[in-house]
Amino acid sequence: MVRTYKGIEVPENDDLRVEAVNAYGVLDTPPEQIYDDVTTMAAEITGCPVAYISIFDATRSWLKSSYGLPPNRPPRPREQSMCAPTICQLDMMVIEDLRQNPRYANLPAVVNPPHARFYCGVPLINRDAYALGTLCVWSPEQVEWGEVQRDAMLRLARLTMDALERRRDMLMLESGRAEVEAQLARSRAATERAEGLVYRLLPQTAAARLLAQADVPARVMDDVTVLCVRLPGLDAAAASEFLSDLDGKLDGAGRAAGLERVGLSGDAYFALSRDGSDIAQRDLDNALAGLMGMARASMEAAGVDCSVQGGMASGSIVSVVTGDSRLISSYWGKPMAEAYENARTQPV
């Protein structure tokens, strides 16, 4: 069954053909010398006053280049183009007298001045056998037509198609490069997120060694002060969720005060001074008050009604990192329990 569009014959695979046309990114692009050279040579070799390269989308015939036509000639509706039947063919079409052919006799270019009479069109068929458009010439007069003109039109059509294929190849290369760059950017972002998560989950020194693919030995810290911030009015699950949302801010504030992150445990957040550090007690008190103030302000902003407590204790603790596929950071020692106990009974 023949497929038609507004009364004209169209290729059976026209939807796929239009997809192929779009892959070249040539529609509505500015003039280019290579195509203008082709239409000029086509006109000069055949002796026709008009030559053009037309590209067909679903509804129109758009000219990539033309010779002998007004510049910036608007696209023709597909059904009014002389080249519409040509893209349904595999070979050159030559019409000696358009006026005597019922498929062409009533077209605007034939009926209106300068009254096209002779026509030759070559379908521009790509590597996948889709006709993207045509290279054509026409004249209001009879034209001497022979093997020289025929061969020239076929060669020029091949040159046109070669230029279009190079265009598509370049677009594909650029698209592939853009996709590779996008994938690299996504990979870098994912790596940064993963590294950030490792630093959030583990002590800084342990995280750095782990990311460097080095062993992470246990650490014995002889002289540290543990700070604890508790949300005693919330159950452990609710407190953990709230503190997880606040975790990054607390970590940032702790680092600014010279503290090392420990992490979350139930309804409490822990941080500690560096081993053997000479942070003054006043500075530790201020750091704890700052952490508590940040937690309280965030809870008030979220409309959560809960008291905030804090405590601290000093002494020695051991830090270990365990696990193969899932790493766990743990801290052991009396100051951890004492800091939590102080926060429970002695709000700051």
Side-chain angles (χ1 to χ4, degrees), residues 136-177:
C136 90
V137 293
W138 61 261
S139 171
E141 308 293 338
Q142 286 185 327
V143 171
E144 248 186 68
W145 196 258
E147 288 301 314
V148 172
Q149 291 79 9
R150 176 184 176 84
D151 287 348
M153 285 293 289
L154 292 174
R155 290 175 184 273
L156 291 171
R158 285 196 294 271
L159 286 174
T160 303
M161 200 61 243
D162 285 345
L164 288 169
E165 293 291 4
R166 286 196 298 273
R167 178 187 183 85
R168 183 175 68 165
D169 291 344
M170 185 63 67
L171 289 176
M172 291 176 66
L173 284 173
E174 290 175 354
S175 175
R177 181 176 61 187

mmCIF file of all heavy atoms in Angstrom, residues 136-177:
data_model
loop_
_atom_site.group_PDB
_atom_site.id
_atom_site.type_symbol
_atom_site.label_atom_id
_atom_site.label_comp_id
_atom_site.label_asym_id
_atom_site.label_seq_id
_atom_site.Cartn_x
_atom_site.Cartn_y
_atom_site.Cartn_z
ATOM 1 N N CYS A 136 19.120 19.053 -6.975
ATOM 2 C CA CYS A 136 18.329 19.150 -8.207
ATOM 3 C C CYS A 136 18.697 20.397 -9.004
ATOM 4 O O CYS A 136 19.257 21.355 -8.466
ATOM 5 C CB CYS A 136 16.833 19.133 -7.896
ATOM 6 S SG CYS A 136 16.113 20.747 -7.612
ATOM 7 N N VAL A 137 18.375 20.336 -10.288
ATOM 8 C CA VAL A 137 18.466 21.499 -11.177
ATOM 9 C C VAL A 137 17.176 21.562 -11.976
ATOM 10 O O VAL A 137 16.517 20.535 -12.202
ATOM 11 C CB VAL A 137 19.669 21.395 -12.148
ATOM 12 C CG1 VAL A 137 20.984 21.466 -11.395
ATOM 13 C CG2 VAL A 137 19.609 20.111 -12.983
ATOM 14 N N TRP A 138 16.792 22.774 -12.386
ATOM 15 C CA TRP A 138 15.650 22.888 -13.297
ATOM 16 C C TRP A 138 15.785 24.133 -14.164
ATOM 17 O O TRP A 138 16.571 25.029 -13.862
ATOM 18 C CB TRP A 138 14.309 22.833 -12.583
ATOM 19 C CG TRP A 138 13.978 23.886 -11.556
ATOM 20 C CD1 TRP A 138 14.086 23.774 -10.217
ATOM 21 C CD2 TRP A 138 13.433 25.185 -11.802
ATOM 22 N NE1 TRP A 138 13.665 24.913 -9.591
ATOM 23 C CE2 TRP A 138 13.242 25.799 -10.548
ATOM 24 C CE3 TRP A 138 13.087 25.893 -12.946
ATOM 25 C CZ2 TRP A 138 12.725 27.084 -10.400
ATOM 26 C CZ3 TRP A 138 12.567 27.181 -12.812
ATOM 27 C CH2 TRP A 138 12.386 27.761 -11.551
ATOM 28 N N SER A 139 15.034 24.125 -15.235
ATOM 29 C CA SER A 139 15.129 25.214 -16.206
ATOM 30 C C SER A 139 13.771 25.447 -16.855
ATOM 31 O O SER A 139 12.993 24.496 -17.044
ATOM 32 C CB SER A 139 16.160 24.865 -17.291
ATOM 33 O OG SER A 139 16.130 25.811 -18.346
ATOM 34 N N PRO A 140 13.464 26.704 -17.216
ATOM 35 C CA PRO A 140 12.217 26.974 -17.961
ATOM 36 C C PRO A 140 12.335 26.622 -19.448
ATOM 37 O O PRO A 140 11.349 26.693 -20.188
ATOM 38 C CB PRO A 140 12.011 28.482 -17.766
ATOM 39 C CG PRO A 140 13.380 29.021 -17.550
ATOM 40 C CD PRO A 140 14.151 27.948 -16.848
ATOM 41 N N GLU A 141 13.533 26.256 -19.870
ATOM 42 C CA GLU A 141 13.773 25.902 -21.273
ATOM 43 C C GLU A 141 14.177 24.433 -21.366
ATOM 44 O O GLU A 141 14.545 23.795 -20.369
ATOM 45 C CB GLU A 141 14.896 26.777 -21.855
ATOM 46 C CG GLU A 141 14.699 28.259 -21.660
ATOM 47 C CD GLU A 141 13.520 28.801 -22.461
ATOM 48 O OE1 GLU A 141 13.131 28.135 -23.453
ATOM 49 O OE2 GLU A 141 13.001 29.866 -22.094
ATOM 50 N N GLN A 142 14.159 23.924 -22.577
ATOM 51 C CA GLN A 142 14.675 22.590 -22.819
ATOM 52 C C GLN A 142 16.185 22.595 -22.582
ATOM 53 O O GLN A 142 16.865 23.588 -22.817
ATOM 54 C CB GLN A 142 14.384 22.146 -24.253
ATOM 55 C CG GLN A 142 12.924 21.775 -24.481
ATOM 56 C CD GLN A 142 12.706 21.227 -25.880
ATOM 57 O OE1 GLN A 142 13.372 21.631 -26.832
ATOM 58 N NE2 GLN A 142 11.759 20.309 -25.994
ATOM 59 N N VAL A 143 16.702 21.468 -22.093
ATOM 60 C CA VAL A 143 18.117 21.373 -21.740
ATOM 61 C C VAL A 143 18.729 20.202 -22.483
ATOM 62 O O VAL A 143 18.124 19.136 -22.609
ATOM 63 C CB VAL A 143 18.289 21.187 -20.217
ATOM 64 C CG1 VAL A 143 19.736 20.877 -19.868
ATOM 65 C CG2 VAL A 143 17.822 22.441 -19.478
ATOM 66 N N GLU A 144 19.945 20.452 -23.021
ATOM 67 C CA GLU A 144 20.686 19.346 -23.627
ATOM 68 C C GLU A 144 21.191 18.448 -22.516
ATOM 69 O O GLU A 144 21.938 18.878 -21.647
ATOM 70 C CB GLU A 144 21.888 19.917 -24.410
ATOM 71 C CG GLU A 144 21.748 19.751 -25.898
ATOM 72 C CD GLU A 144 23.004 20.187 -26.616
ATOM 73 O OE1 GLU A 144 24.031 19.500 -26.468
ATOM 74 O OE2 GLU A 144 22.938 21.209 -27.287
ATOM 75 N N TRP A 145 20.785 17.199 -22.563
ATOM 76 C CA TRP A 145 21.096 16.298 -21.454
ATOM 77 C C TRP A 145 21.789 15.059 -21.975
ATOM 78 O O TRP A 145 21.322 14.415 -22.908
ATOM 79 C CB TRP A 145 19.825 15.903 -20.725
ATOM 80 C CG TRP A 145 20.082 15.300 -19.367
ATOM 81 C CD1 TRP A 145 20.038 13.986 -19.049
ATOM 82 C CD2 TRP A 145 20.448 15.985 -18.190
ATOM 83 N NE1 TRP A 145 20.347 13.797 -17.727
ATOM 84 C CE2 TRP A 145 20.610 15.036 -17.162
ATOM 85 C CE3 TRP A 145 20.670 17.326 -17.878
ATOM 86 C CZ2 TRP A 145 20.963 15.360 -15.870
ATOM 87 C CZ3 TRP A 145 21.020 17.655 -16.592
ATOM 88 C CH2 TRP A 145 21.156 16.680 -15.597
ATOM 89 N N GLY A 146 22.943 14.744 -21.382
ATOM 90 C CA GLY A 146 23.679 13.576 -21.822
ATOM 91 C C GLY A 146 24.445 12.955 -20.672
ATOM 92 O O GLY A 146 24.240 13.274 -19.500
ATOM 93 N N GLU A 147 25.388 12.067 -21.002
ATOM 94 C CA GLU A 147 26.136 11.348 -19.982
ATOM 95 C C GLU A 147 26.996 12.290 -19.140
ATOM 96 O O GLU A 147 27.190 12.064 -17.930
ATOM 97 C CB GLU A 147 27.022 10.285 -20.637
ATOM 98 C CG GLU A 147 26.250 9.097 -21.188
ATOM 99 C CD GLU A 147 25.442 8.390 -20.103
ATOM 100 O OE1 GLU A 147 26.005 8.140 -19.010
ATOM 101 O OE2 GLU A 147 24.256 8.114 -20.336
ATOM 102 N N VAL A 148 27.538 13.331 -19.752
ATOM 103 C CA VAL A 148 28.384 14.271 -18.999
ATOM 104 C C VAL A 148 27.584 14.908 -17.867
ATOM 105 O O VAL A 148 28.026 14.959 -16.710
ATOM 106 C CB VAL A 148 28.950 15.358 -19.934
ATOM 107 C CG1 VAL A 148 29.671 16.444 -19.116
ATOM 108 C CG2 VAL A 148 29.913 14.757 -20.944
ATOM 109 N N GLN A 149 26.390 15.415 -18.224
ATOM 110 C CA GLN A 149 25.553 16.061 -17.210
ATOM 111 C C GLN A 149 25.083 15.047 -16.159
ATOM 112 O O GLN A 149 25.059 15.341 -14.957
ATOM 113 C CB GLN A 149 24.344 16.739 -17.867
ATOM 114 C CG GLN A 149 24.676 17.955 -18.707
ATOM 115 C CD GLN A 149 25.226 17.599 -20.083
ATOM 116 O OE1 GLN A 149 25.220 16.433 -20.489
ATOM 117 N NE2 GLN A 149 25.719 18.605 -20.799
ATOM 118 N N ARG A 150 24.719 13.871 -16.630
ATOM 119 C CA ARG A 150 24.239 12.849 -15.703
ATOM 120 C C ARG A 150 25.346 12.461 -14.702
ATOM 121 O O ARG A 150 25.107 12.420 -13.488
ATOM 122 C CB ARG A 150 23.782 11.616 -16.489
ATOM 123 C CG ARG A 150 23.348 10.458 -15.606
ATOM 124 C CD ARG A 150 22.986 9.230 -16.428
ATOM 125 N NE ARG A 150 22.676 8.109 -15.538
ATOM 126 C CZ ARG A 150 21.508 7.891 -14.971
ATOM 127 N NH1 ARG A 150 20.513 8.728 -15.194
ATOM 128 N NH2 ARG A 150 21.319 6.859 -14.174
ATOM 129 N N ASP A 151 26.538 12.190 -15.204
ATOM 130 C CA ASP A 151 27.642 11.802 -14.327
ATOM 131 C C ASP A 151 27.994 12.929 -13.350
ATOM 132 O O ASP A 151 28.298 12.679 -12.179
ATOM 133 C CB ASP A 151 28.876 11.446 -15.157
ATOM 134 C CG ASP A 151 28.721 10.106 -15.863
ATOM 135 O OD1 ASP A 151 27.772 9.368 -15.531
ATOM 136 O OD2 ASP A 151 29.548 9.814 -16.746
ATOM 137 N N ALA A 152 27.962 14.172 -13.850
ATOM 138 C CA ALA A 152 28.291 15.310 -12.988
ATOM 139 C C ALA A 152 27.296 15.418 -11.830
ATOM 140 O O ALA A 152 27.689 15.639 -10.676
ATOM 141 C CB ALA A 152 28.297 16.605 -13.801
ATOM 142 N N MET A 153 26.012 15.247 -12.124
ATOM 143 C CA MET A 153 25.001 15.338 -11.063
ATOM 144 C C MET A 153 25.183 14.223 -10.031
ATOM 145 O O MET A 153 25.066 14.447 -8.821
ATOM 146 C CB MET A 153 23.605 15.286 -11.667
ATOM 147 C CG MET A 153 23.182 16.574 -12.368
ATOM 148 S SD MET A 153 22.977 17.964 -11.219
ATOM 149 C CE MET A 153 21.474 17.480 -10.357
ATOM 150 N N LEU A 154 25.487 13.025 -10.487
ATOM 151 C CA LEU A 154 25.690 11.914 -9.557
ATOM 152 C C LEU A 154 26.918 12.154 -8.671
ATOM 153 O O LEU A 154 26.897 11.876 -7.463
ATOM 154 C CB LEU A 154 25.832 10.602 -10.327
ATOM 155 C CG LEU A 154 24.562 10.100 -11.034
ATOM 156 C CD1 LEU A 154 24.873 8.868 -11.884
ATOM 157 C CD2 LEU A 154 23.466 9.778 -10.020
ATOM 158 N N ARG A 155 28.010 12.665 -9.297
ATOM 159 C CA ARG A 155 29.218 12.934 -8.523
ATOM 160 C C ARG A 155 28.977 14.038 -7.492
ATOM 161 O O ARG A 155 29.413 13.943 -6.335
ATOM 162 C CB ARG A 155 30.360 13.343 -9.455
ATOM 163 C CG ARG A 155 30.888 12.214 -10.317
ATOM 164 C CD ARG A 155 31.938 12.726 -11.298
ATOM 165 N NE ARG A 155 32.386 11.677 -12.178
ATOM 166 C CZ ARG A 155 33.380 10.826 -11.923
ATOM 167 N NH1 ARG A 155 34.030 10.921 -10.777
ATOM 168 N NH2 ARG A 155 33.734 9.905 -12.785
ATOM 169 N N LEU A 156 28.277 15.093 -7.914
ATOM 170 C CA LEU A 156 28.003 16.201 -7.003
ATOM 171 C C LEU A 156 27.075 15.763 -5.864
ATOM 172 O O LEU A 156 27.202 16.229 -4.726
ATOM 173 C CB LEU A 156 27.401 17.380 -7.762
ATOM 174 C CG LEU A 156 28.360 18.098 -8.713
ATOM 175 C CD1 LEU A 156 27.616 19.117 -9.575
ATOM 176 C CD2 LEU A 156 29.482 18.782 -7.928
ATOM 177 N N ALA A 157 26.142 14.874 -6.166
ATOM 178 C CA ALA A 157 25.269 14.348 -5.108
ATOM 179 C C ALA A 157 26.083 13.545 -4.093
ATOM 180 O O ALA A 157 25.845 13.628 -2.880
ATOM 181 C CB ALA A 157 24.165 13.486 -5.717
ATOM 182 N N ARG A 158 27.069 12.773 -4.596
ATOM 183 C CA ARG A 158 27.924 12.013 -3.669
ATOM 184 C C ARG A 158 28.761 12.961 -2.801
ATOM 185 O O ARG A 158 28.941 12.726 -1.601
ATOM 186 C CB ARG A 158 28.834 11.061 -4.447
ATOM 187 C CG ARG A 158 28.107 9.839 -4.994
ATOM 188 C CD ARG A 158 29.100 8.761 -5.395
ATOM 189 N NE ARG A 158 29.933 9.161 -6.514
ATOM 190 C CZ ARG A 158 29.624 8.971 -7.792
ATOM 191 N NH1 ARG A 158 28.473 8.366 -8.109
ATOM 192 N NH2 ARG A 158 30.450 9.344 -8.753
ATOM 193 N N LEU A 159 29.278 14.038 -3.404
ATOM 194 C CA LEU A 159 30.030 15.021 -2.627
ATOM 195 C C LEU A 159 29.150 15.649 -1.545
ATOM 196 O O LEU A 159 29.596 15.862 -0.409
ATOM 197 C CB LEU A 159 30.573 16.123 -3.546
ATOM 198 C CG LEU A 159 31.753 15.754 -4.446
ATOM 199 C CD1 LEU A 159 32.076 16.911 -5.395
ATOM 200 C CD2 LEU A 159 32.978 15.427 -3.589
ATOM 201 N N THR A 160 27.908 15.948 -1.911
ATOM 202 C CA THR A 160 26.965 16.527 -0.945
ATOM 203 C C THR A 160 26.723 15.564 0.200
ATOM 204 O O THR A 160 26.739 15.939 1.379
ATOM 205 C CB THR A 160 25.641 16.866 -1.631
ATOM 206 O OG1 THR A 160 25.886 17.755 -2.722
ATOM 207 C CG2 THR A 160 24.665 17.512 -0.650
ATOM 208 N N MET A 161 26.502 14.291 -0.132
ATOM 209 C CA MET A 161 26.224 13.301 0.900
ATOM 210 C C MET A 161 27.452 13.071 1.772
ATOM 211 O O MET A 161 27.331 12.889 2.987
ATOM 212 C CB MET A 161 25.773 11.997 0.239
ATOM 213 C CG MET A 161 25.005 11.075 1.156
ATOM 214 S SD MET A 161 23.476 11.796 1.777
ATOM 215 C CE MET A 161 23.832 11.836 3.536
ATOM 216 N N ASP A 162 28.648 13.118 1.166
ATOM 217 C CA ASP A 162 29.877 12.975 1.957
ATOM 218 C C ASP A 162 29.990 14.105 2.976
ATOM 219 O O ASP A 162 30.374 13.885 4.135
ATOM 220 C CB ASP A 162 31.108 12.982 1.045
ATOM 221 C CG ASP A 162 31.282 11.677 0.287
ATOM 222 O OD1 ASP A 162 30.636 10.678 0.669
ATOM 223 O OD2 ASP A 162 32.063 11.665 -0.681
ATOM 224 N N ALA A 163 29.665 15.330 2.558
ATOM 225 C CA ALA A 163 29.726 16.470 3.478
ATOM 226 C C ALA A 163 28.715 16.311 4.605
ATOM 227 O O ALA A 163 29.001 16.612 5.768
ATOM 228 C CB ALA A 163 29.471 17.769 2.716
ATOM 229 N N LEU A 164 27.537 15.824 4.276
ATOM 230 C CA LEU A 164 26.519 15.613 5.309
ATOM 231 C C LEU A 164 26.942 14.510 6.281
ATOM 232 O O LEU A 164 26.724 14.617 7.489
ATOM 233 C CB LEU A 164 25.177 15.258 4.657
ATOM 234 C CG LEU A 164 24.458 16.411 3.938
ATOM 235 C CD1 LEU A 164 23.285 15.886 3.117
ATOM 236 C CD2 LEU A 164 23.982 17.453 4.940
ATOM 237 N N GLU A 165 27.534 13.435 5.754
ATOM 238 C CA GLU A 165 27.982 12.347 6.637
ATOM 239 C C GLU A 165 29.089 12.824 7.574
ATOM 240 O O GLU A 165 29.116 12.449 8.753
ATOM 241 C CB GLU A 165 28.471 11.159 5.808
ATOM 242 C CG GLU A 165 27.384 10.455 4.997
ATOM 243 C CD GLU A 165 26.384 9.717 5.874
ATOM 244 O OE1 GLU A 165 26.455 9.795 7.117
ATOM 245 O OE2 GLU A 165 25.502 9.056 5.304
ATOM 246 N N ARG A 166 29.994 13.643 7.053
ATOM 247 C CA ARG A 166 31.056 14.181 7.919
ATOM 248 C C ARG A 166 30.454 15.057 9.015
ATOM 249 O O ARG A 166 30.918 15.045 10.159
ATOM 250 C CB ARG A 166 32.070 14.988 7.103
ATOM 251 C CG ARG A 166 32.998 14.132 6.258
ATOM 252 C CD ARG A 166 34.200 14.925 5.784
ATOM 253 N NE ARG A 166 33.810 16.048 4.938
ATOM 254 C CZ ARG A 166 33.633 15.970 3.629
ATOM 255 N NH1 ARG A 166 33.801 14.819 3.004
ATOM 256 N NH2 ARG A 166 33.300 17.037 2.931
ATOM 257 N N ARG A 167 29.403 15.771 8.640
ATOM 258 C CA ARG A 167 28.720 16.604 9.635
ATOM 259 C C ARG A 167 28.126 15.730 10.739
ATOM 260 O O ARG A 167 28.274 16.023 11.925
ATOM 261 C CB ARG A 167 27.629 17.430 8.956
ATOM 262 C CG ARG A 167 26.838 18.294 9.910
ATOM 263 C CD ARG A 167 25.649 18.971 9.242
ATOM 264 N NE ARG A 167 24.989 19.825 10.200
ATOM 265 C CZ ARG A 167 25.331 21.079 10.471
ATOM 266 N NH1 ARG A 167 26.336 21.637 9.836
ATOM 267 N NH2 ARG A 167 24.679 21.776 11.386
ATOM 268 N N ARG A 168 27.445 14.667 10.353
ATOM 269 C CA ARG A 168 26.833 13.795 11.360
ATOM 270 C C ARG A 168 27.905 13.128 12.219
ATOM 271 O O ARG A 168 27.750 13.023 13.442
ATOM 272 C CB ARG A 168 25.960 12.719 10.703
ATOM 273 C CG ARG A 168 25.259 11.835 11.751
ATOM 274 C CD ARG A 168 24.298 10.850 11.140
ATOM 275 N NE ARG A 168 24.954 9.817 10.352
ATOM 276 C CZ ARG A 168 24.362 8.698 9.953
ATOM 277 N NH1 ARG A 168 23.103 8.472 10.266
ATOM 278 N NH2 ARG A 168 25.022 7.821 9.225
ATOM 279 N N ASP A 169 28.993 12.679 11.589
ATOM 280 C CA ASP A 169 30.069 12.049 12.362
ATOM 281 C C ASP A 169 30.629 13.018 13.394
ATOM 282 O O ASP A 169 30.920 12.632 14.536
ATOM 283 C CB ASP A 169 31.179 11.580 11.426
ATOM 284 C CG ASP A 169 30.741 10.406 10.551
ATOM 285 O OD1 ASP A 169 29.713 9.771 10.883
ATOM 286 O OD2 ASP A 169 31.422 10.136 9.549
ATOM 287 N N MET A 170 30.798 14.287 13.006
ATOM 288 C CA MET A 170 31.316 15.280 13.941
ATOM 289 C C MET A 170 30.348 15.502 15.090
ATOM 290 O O MET A 170 30.761 15.596 16.260
ATOM 291 C CB MET A 170 31.578 16.601 13.203
ATOM 292 C CG MET A 170 32.227 17.668 14.085
ATOM 293 S SD MET A 170 33.865 17.170 14.682
ATOM 294 C CE MET A 170 34.773 17.171 13.124
ATOM 295 N N LEU A 171 29.050 15.565 14.781
ATOM 296 C CA LEU A 171 28.050 15.735 15.839
ATOM 297 C C LEU A 171 28.070 14.559 16.805
ATOM 298 O O LEU A 171 27.951 14.736 18.020
ATOM 299 C CB LEU A 171 26.650 15.881 15.223
ATOM 300 C CG LEU A 171 26.372 17.194 14.494
ATOM 301 C CD1 LEU A 171 24.978 17.142 13.860
ATOM 302 C CD2 LEU A 171 26.463 18.389 15.441
ATOM 303 N N MET A 172 28.229 13.353 16.255
ATOM 304 C CA MET A 172 28.264 12.166 17.110
ATOM 305 C C MET A 172 29.501 12.179 18.001
ATOM 306 O O MET A 172 29.438 11.815 19.181
ATOM 307 C CB MET A 172 28.222 10.900 16.256
ATOM 308 C CG MET A 172 26.888 10.681 15.553
ATOM 309 S SD MET A 172 26.888 9.238 14.454
ATOM 310 C CE MET A 172 27.068 7.914 15.660
ATOM 311 N N LEU A 173 30.651 12.606 17.440
ATOM 312 C CA LEU A 173 31.866 12.694 18.243
ATOM 313 C C LEU A 173 31.706 13.713 19.362
ATOM 314 O O LEU A 173 32.086 13.472 20.511
ATOM 315 C CB LEU A 173 33.058 13.075 17.357
ATOM 316 C CG LEU A 173 33.621 11.969 16.466
ATOM 317 C CD1 LEU A 173 34.670 12.536 15.523
ATOM 318 C CD2 LEU A 173 34.224 10.857 17.313
ATOM 319 N N GLU A 174 31.131 14.870 19.024
ATOM 320 C CA GLU A 174 30.940 15.911 20.033
ATOM 321 C C GLU A 174 29.960 15.443 21.104
ATOM 322 O O GLU A 174 30.155 15.698 22.293
ATOM 323 C CB GLU A 174 30.438 17.198 19.366
ATOM 324 C CG GLU A 174 31.489 17.867 18.501
ATOM 325 C CD GLU A 174 30.933 19.066 17.751
ATOM 326 O OE1 GLU A 174 29.700 19.302 17.828
ATOM 327 O OE2 GLU A 174 31.715 19.767 17.081
ATOM 328 N N SER A 175 28.896 14.752 20.654
ATOM 329 C CA SER A 175 27.923 14.241 21.619
ATOM 330 C C SER A 175 28.557 13.195 22.527
ATOM 331 O O SER A 175 28.329 13.188 23.740
ATOM 332 C CB SER A 175 26.722 13.636 20.877
ATOM 333 O OG SER A 175 25.821 13.040 21.779
ATOM 334 N N GLY A 176 29.382 12.312 21.929
ATOM 335 C CA GLY A 176 30.063 11.296 22.726
ATOM 336 C C GLY A 176 31.032 11.916 23.710
ATOM 337 O O GLY A 176 31.113 11.492 24.868
ATOM 338 N N ARG A 177 31.758 12.942 23.261
ATOM 339 C CA ARG A 177 32.706 13.611 24.162
ATOM 340 C C ARG A 177 31.957 14.297 25.301
ATOM 341 O O ARG A 177 32.392 14.235 26.463
ATOM 342 C CB ARG A 177 33.524 14.641 23.388
ATOM 343 C CG ARG A 177 34.561 15.369 24.244
ATOM 344 C CD ARG A 177 35.393 16.306 23.398
ATOM 345 N NE ARG A 177 34.569 17.319 22.763
ATOM 346 C CZ ARG A 177 35.021 18.185 21.860
ATOM 347 N NH1 ARG A 177 36.279 18.117 21.465
ATOM 348 N NH2 ARG A 177 34.208 19.087 21.328
#
